[in-house]
């Protein structure tokens, strides 16, 4: 068969004649693309070009998974607010599970249709699975909230969730990466649907959302993700370090073990997500809040605040202090967050995420770190006014200088190496007051 007569070559040229070809230089009509998304089941859609400044810090990760990306299609799928607001975790979890699956299914449908027309596309997961080999680092290539904001599908609320102007925050998000330029792109909204009512602040059981907008990633994750990722690691640790079933049961109630079974067998379950539940923002959501605020507060917010339930916190964390102060009727369960540094780099990357700002009250100190051995690093950590700052290299006069062999340090963090033994062997050395080291450790309970 002559090359031009080969069935594959002929078919490709046929498709190209119908208006679509695999030539990446041909633009895709944006209205047509959006209609395809809506017809496939999306509730809203927007388009973003990869080159815009809002995508700058995320571009490298996106291009790593799909180098030809030119256009990002942001997808919104509505959630049923009544399910999310329900005091039963099972009802709320079902909605999240379905919501995520639906947005992934919509993305798959669009990808299939575009693929048939010769357009190269990639649909990263809306949530899980994630690139777990990167744990405890950033495991997702595309930040759907950021893309949705750029696509004008909403703005980030006080609670750091995307609020759609009509549907409120009751949405799941997805993104499709496309190898073509589109004829037109969307722009961010010119207002933020967030009402600054701060109900999200008042309902979060672990105080992860501060009134000033501070977000404690680790306190949120420790409680909400009790049955996944770091919570799962903590469970494994509890199990293997128990000498018998009785000792295991002193750490895990039977209801907690079967909860883990449910997450593993049925799908991911959350312990809270209350910040999303109480948010009254969005044209189609605001009615009950505007019409009768008292009833809204009593029924939607109060029912979650009053609920008697287990709240998972790291001992000595701001989360633990918050539950004790604001929700004394809830049961504090002390656990580990499971985020163990796998390298000195990930130790420094994680410090801002793990920082417990209230535990640093009164501490104003500069720490220099020198790591040697397998990983050589010089860093400076400044803790001042309940804030943390990390710089490359050293400043001249630190309050404390820690010098350590990198492997020994990681073993110490994993509680597999005794600090005094490491100091005796001069694998870890401290120049400065040990009191400052203790204050440092208090800011990062594990
Ligand atoms: C990481 C993540 C989390 C983290 C951090 C949340 C955050 N504010 O960024 C945790 C575990 C705390 C979390 C919790 C929840 N999440 Co979440 N999460 C994500 C994820 C994977 C990426 C978020 C992101 O890109 N943030 C944007 C960057 C710019 O935020 P940032 O503040 O600069 O950085 C934060 C993260 O990078 C994170 N981080 C940095 N390094 C590491 C390392 C690890 C190991 C982890 C886990 C996180 C992490 O900490 C930083 C500080 O907050 C997305 C899915 C996706 N692929 O986009 C869903 C997503 C944002 N989550 C979602 C939801 C629904 C939730 C929860 C309600 C729980 C639930 N039921 O699923 C809570 C709400 C908490 C809150 N108020 O934010 C939805 C949001 C929908 C919406 N309306 O906005 C998303 C979009 C999933 C989806 N497809 O719909 N989530
Ligand atoms: S609950 Fe209120 S403050 Fe929090 S995100 Fe929603 S509108 Fe904004």
């Amino acid at each position: 068969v002559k090359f031009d007569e080969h069935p594959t070559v002929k078919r490709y040229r046929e498709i190209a004649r119908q208006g679509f070809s695999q030539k990446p230089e041909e633009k895709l009509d944006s209205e047509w693309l959006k209609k395809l998304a809506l017809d496939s089941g999306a509730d809203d859609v927007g388009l973003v070009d990869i080159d815009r400044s809002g995508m700058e810090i995320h571009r490298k990760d996106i291009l790593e998974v799909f180098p030809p990306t030119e256009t990002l299609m942001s997808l919104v799928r509505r959630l049923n607010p009544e399910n999310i607001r329900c005091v039963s975790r099972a009802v709320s979890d079902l909605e999240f599970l379905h919501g995520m699956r639906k947005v992934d299914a919509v993305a798959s449908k669009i990808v299939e249709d575009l693929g048939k027309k010769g357009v190269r596309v990639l649909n990263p997961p809306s949530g899980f699975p994630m690139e777990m080999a990167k744990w405890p680092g950033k495991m997702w290539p595309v930040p759907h909230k950021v893309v949705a904001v750029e696509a004008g599908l909403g703005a980030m609320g006080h609670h750091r969730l995307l609020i759609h102007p009509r549907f409120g925050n009751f949405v799941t998000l997805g993104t499709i990466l496309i190898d073509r330029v589109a004829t037109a792109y969307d722009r961010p909204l010119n207002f933020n649907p967030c009402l600054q009512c701060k109900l999200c602040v008042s309902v979060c059981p672990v105080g992860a959302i501060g009134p000033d907008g501070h977000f404690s990633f680790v306190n949120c994750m420790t409680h909400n993700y009790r049955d996944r990722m770091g919570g799962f690691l903590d469970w494994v640790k509890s199990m293997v370090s128990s000498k018998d079933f009785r000792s295991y049961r002193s750490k895990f109630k039977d209801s907690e073990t079967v909860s883990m079974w449910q997450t593993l067998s049925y799908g991911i379950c959350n312990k809270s997500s209350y910040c999303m539940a109480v948010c009254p923002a969005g044209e189609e959501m605001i009615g009950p809040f505007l019409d009768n605020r008292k009833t809204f507060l009593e029924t939607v917010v109060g029912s979650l605040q009053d609920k008697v339930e287990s709240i998972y916190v790291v001992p000595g964390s701001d989360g633990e202090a918050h539950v004790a102060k604001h929700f004394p009727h809830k049961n504090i369960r002390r656990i580990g967050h499971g985020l163990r540094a796998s390298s000195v780099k990930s130790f420094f990357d994680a410090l801002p995420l793990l920082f417990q700002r209230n535990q640093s009250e009164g501490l104003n100190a500069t720490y220099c770190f020198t790591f040697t051995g397998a990983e050589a690093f010089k860093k400076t950590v400044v803790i001042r006014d309940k804030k943390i700052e990390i710089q490359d290299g050293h400043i001249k006069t630190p309050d404390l200088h820690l010098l350590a062999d990198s492997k020994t340090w990681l073993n110490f963090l994993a509680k597999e190496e005794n600090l005094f033994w490491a100091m005796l062997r001069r694998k870890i050395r401290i120049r400065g007051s040990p009191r400052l080291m203790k204050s440092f450790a208090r800011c990062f309970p594990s």
Side-chain angles (χ1 to χ4, degrees):
V1 183
K2 279 188 179 161
F3 187 76
D4 286 342
E5 293 303 313
H6 190 283
T8 312
V9 177
K10 278 173 74 180
R11 180 78 191 126
Y12 169 69
R13 287 176 178 157
E14 216 174 283
I15 293 172
R17 270 196 299 278
Q18 286 165 14
F20 292 95
S21 77
Q22 288 170 24
K23 287 180 194 147
E25 63 274 13
E26 284 186 17
K27 283 189 181 178
L28 290 177
D29 181 71
S30 28
E31 287 314 310
W32 176 84
L33 268 177
K34 287 186 180 182
K35 185 172 180 311
L36 175 68
L38 297 174
D39 290 348
S40 304
D43 289 314
D44 206 353
V45 54
L47 299 172
V48 175
D49 53 298
I50 185 77
D51 293 326
R52 73 171 65 174
S53 59
M55 294 312 302
E56 193 168 337
I57 56 167
H58 307 284
R59 203 173 294 130
K60 186 173 159 281
D61 287 354
I62 294 170
L63 294 179
E64 193 181 299
V65 289
F66 196 54
T69 307
E70 291 285 354
T71 298
L72 297 98
M73 178 193 265
S74 178
L75 303 169
V76 167
R77 260 301 300 204
R78 297 186 77 166
L79 290 165
N80 174 13
E82 300 308 330
N83 274 49
I84 303 294
R85 287 180 167 165
C86 183
V87 286
S88 159
R89 288 304 77 219
V91 177
S92 165
D93 285 333
L94 179 73
E95 188 59 20
F96 275 116
L97 281 167
H98 280 178
M100 302 294 250
R101 281 179 195 147
K102 278 183 200 157
V103 82
D104 284 331
V106 170
S108 284
K109 171 87 178 55
I110 298 168
V111 162
E112 210 178 297
D113 288 352
L114 286 174
K116 280 181 192 157
K117 298 194 184 305
V119 181
R120 289 178 65 200
V121 262
L122 183 130
N123 54 326
S126 62
F128 292 86
M130 286 190 196
E131 203 65 18
M132 288 298 164
K134 293 189 172 171
W135 173 269
K138 181 174 170 283
M139 303 169 295
W140 58 94
V142 182
H144 303 308
K145 282 188 289 189
V146 176
V147 183
V149 168
E150 286 296 326
L153 296 174
M156 224 79 104
H158 185 83
H159 54 3
R160 304 258 191 127
L161 291 172
L162 178 107
I163 307 181
H164 186 276
R166 273 174 57 212
F167 316 143
N169 71 169
F170 297 98
V171 291
T172 46
L173 306 171
T175 308
I176 295 180
L177 310 179
I178 307 175
D179 79 333
R180 304 289 172 88
V181 173
T183 49
Y185 289 108
D186 295 291
R187 290 280 146 199
L189 293 182
N190 57 8
F191 79 106
N192 191 329
C194 176
L195 307 161
Q196 286 299 325
C197 64
K198 304 200 179 167
L199 294 180
C200 45
V201 177
S202 75
V203 83
C204 177
V206 291
I209 303 162
D212 56 351
H214 172 79
F215 182 73
S216 173
F217 147 80
V218 71
N219 292 346
C220 171
M221 199 189 79
T222 304
H223 174 60
N224 204 29
Y225 281 31
R226 183 9 168 184
D227 291 350
R228 41 174 150 154
M229 302 204 298
F232 179 76
L233 281 173
D234 183 69
W235 176 61
V236 172
K237 191 175 153 210
S238 297
M239 197 156 44
V240 298
S241 61
S242 302
K243 70 177 192 307
D244 54 22
F245 191 54
R246 196 171 158 181
S247 107
Y248 167 79
R249 284 188 75 213
S250 69
K251 299 174 204 159
F252 260 78
K253 293 193 245 171
D254 285 350
S255 58
E256 293 171 322
T257 302
V258 296
S259 170
M260 186 63 82
W261 162 80
Q262 176 162 273
T263 283
L264 293 176
S265 58
Y266 186 71
I268 292 160
C269 298
N270 301 288
K271 296 291 174 203
S272 164
S273 308
Y274 292 175
C275 50
M276 179 185 269
V278 299
C279 183
E283 277 165 43
E284 293 180 18
M285 300 310 307
I286 201 168
F289 175 75
L290 275 188
D291 295 343
N292 194 338
R293 197 172 295 199
K294 190 167 171 282
T295 308
F296 184 88
L297 293 181
E298 274 166 16
T299 52
V300 178
V301 186
S303 60
L304 298 172
Q305 285 173 328
D306 296 345
K307 186 174 173 181
V308 177
E309 60 185 332
S310 292
I311 306 294
Y312 297 92
V313 291
V314 172
S317 64
D318 292 348
E320 183 180 39
H322 188 87
V323 195
K325 185 171 174 197
H326 298 277
F327 301 101
H329 56 288
K330 298 195 191 254
N331 307 313
I332 292 180
R333 299 284 289 157
R334 296 180 179 87
I335 63 165
H337 56 53
L339 274 161
R340 210 172 73 180
S342 55
S343 62
V344 171
K345 183 185 175 306
S346 67
F347 162 70
F348 285 114
D349 287 348
L351 280 183
L353 300 174
L354 302 179
F355 184 59
Q356 301 292 307
R357 60 176 179 167
N358 292 338
Q359 304 307 313
S360 77
E361 180 113 46
L363 178 63
N364 287 315
T366 301
Y367 299 83
C368 278
F369 288 85
T370 303
F371 286 106
T372 51
E375 278 182 281
F377 263 96
K378 277 188 178 178
K379 292 263 188 191
T380 301
V381 178
V382 182
I383 299 180
R384 181 170 301 133
D385 302 330
K386 293 168 74 174
K387 290 199 178 85
I388 180 169
E389 208 188 293
I390 302 177
Q391 298 158 13
D392 286 332
H394 284 169
I395 64 138
K396 276 198 182 113
T397 48
D399 298 297
L400 186 132
H401 190 168
L402 183 135
L403 303 98
D405 166 62
S406 52
K407 203 160 175 283
T408 312
W409 181 251
L410 294 177
N411 289 343
F412 160 66
L413 292 179
K415 300 186 176 125
E416 286 162 7
E417 176 99 32
N418 181 290
L419 181 61
F420 294 105
W421 178 232
M423 286 173 92
L424 264 179
R425 287 162 44 237
R426 295 184 61 76
K427 290 281 186 187
I428 297 179
R429 285 174 290 152
I430 292 168
R431 287 186 204 140
S433 161
R435 193 180 45 82
L436 280 177
M437 204 56 231
K438 238 175 151 179
S439 309
F440 184 86
R442 206 176 52 232
C443 302
F444 308 96
S446 59

